[in-house]
Amino acid sequence: MITVIKNQIRCRVNNKSIVWDAFFKSDREKKPLVIFCHGYKGFKDWGSWNMVAEAFSNQNLFFIKFNFSHNGGTIEDPIDFPDLEAFAENNYTKELTDLEDVLNFILSENFQFKNEIDITNITLIGHSRGGGISIIKASEDKRITKLITWASVSDYESRFGSNDEKNEWYKNGVKYVLNGRTKQQMPHNYQFFEDYEANQKRLNIQNATRKLNIPFLIIHAVEDPSVKYMEAENLHSWNSNSKLFKIENSNHVFDASHPWEKDKLPETLNLVVEKSIHFIKNTCS
């Protein structure tokens, strides 16, 4: 029987709260911990992520997913993007701080389910932009014992656009990106780029990937239209201990969509989940 704890609130001093979920078999046996980081314009309940969490927990893994604090969701409405002011103030270092705080909380003596977790076996899984965050965090934090990326980016700087585009952004103070699904104009304040420049060394995914000395599985669809397969090849080439699993005939979200109303995972995403679970359970740290 799977225990599902939804929409828990981690309050923080002088920072926005983080909303999180846990999926696990409540048997007081210590299980490998898996923490999932969503991507850009994403959230913990997007599409079939709840079914993904169930699949991991059915294999006796303790699965945590959460919303980054400035992803545009709120405590009251953690799905979609009701808080575009927060979204505008998001940046990569905020997301790294969020992940640090989630880790510290889950691994603390005060965590209510601490008897269900093996704190010596911790896997980060990051999708898309969350893949880059997971790589950087894993390179910095010795508590992380395994890393998996799904359709991860390999570089942040190129995503800010050309010099002309950055100059226009600086002049206006904000730029907008259309969310094709919700039709919202998603704002990015110029602080996003300023934060990147101030933390450029830390936010270099290539350098972080080279530093990794833990098992690392890279999963990416060859035809991904959002993050090109070449980025997976980049990550693989920068770390000789990594494993690259190529997905044929799929997309950036492995054939899932939002909302996901079917009673099972898409075949491709199910394969991604199976490969990830096998990697966690059968790879020595």
Side-chain angles (χ1 to χ4, degrees), residues 31 36 42 224:
K31 294 168 268 295
F36 176 75
D224 187 333

Side-chain angles (χ1 to χ4, degrees), residues 221-235:
V222 178
E223 292 87 3
D224 187 333
S226 302
V227 178
K228 300 302 182 187
Y229 183 70
M230 179 187 69
E231 301 211 41
E233 294 178 314
N234 288 342
L235 295 175

Side-chain angles (χ1 to χ4, degrees), residues 92 127-133 135-136 149-159 196 203-210 216 218 220 226-238 252:
Y92 299 127
H127 176 250
S128 192
R129 170 164 142 179
I133 294 297
I135 292 167
I136 293 166
T149 57
W150 295 351
S152 177
V153 300
S154 65
D155 163 71
Y156 284 142
E157 184 168 13
S158 63
R159 289 171 162 79
Y196 173 78
L203 297 173
N204 186 308
I205 297 172
Q206 179 176 347
N207 288 346
T209 304
R210 291 187 188 280
F216 178 23
I218 302 157
H220 210 113
S226 302
V227 178
K228 300 302 182 187
Y229 183 70
M230 179 187 69
E231 301 211 41
E233 294 178 314
N234 288 342
L235 295 175
H236 185 44
S237 71
W238 297 332
H252 188 56

Side-chain angles (χ1 to χ4, degrees), residues 109-135:
E109 280 297 309
N110 298 324
F111 186 57
Q112 65 210 92
F113 307 113
K114 65 180 181 179
N115 293 326
E116 305 279 354
I117 296 172
D118 177 0
I119 64 171
T120 69
N121 193 336
I122 303 172
T123 301
L124 292 185
I125 300 179
H127 176 250
S128 192
R129 170 164 142 179
I133 294 297
S134 298
I135 292 167

Side-chain angles (χ1 to χ4, degrees), residues 4-8 19-23 36-39 41-54 63-68 71 73-81 181 256-261:
V4 178
I5 310 293
K6 290 283 294 176
N7 296 326
Q8 302 299 291
V19 186
W20 60 275
D21 304 337
F23 291 66
F36 176 75
C37 302
H38 68 73
K41 292 187 286 189
F43 44 95
K44 67 180 178 61
D45 296 305
W46 182 92
S48 51
W49 292 152
N50 284 316
M51 292 181 70
V52 165
E54 288 172 7
F63 193 94
I64 293 279
K65 57 189 177 72
F66 67 99
N67 279 350
F68 285 111
N71 78 317
T74 62
I75 291 171
E76 299 77 20
D77 186 3
I79 293 176
D80 280 333
F81 313 102
R181 182 176 61 81
S257 58
H258 186 82
W260 185 256
E261 294 170 343

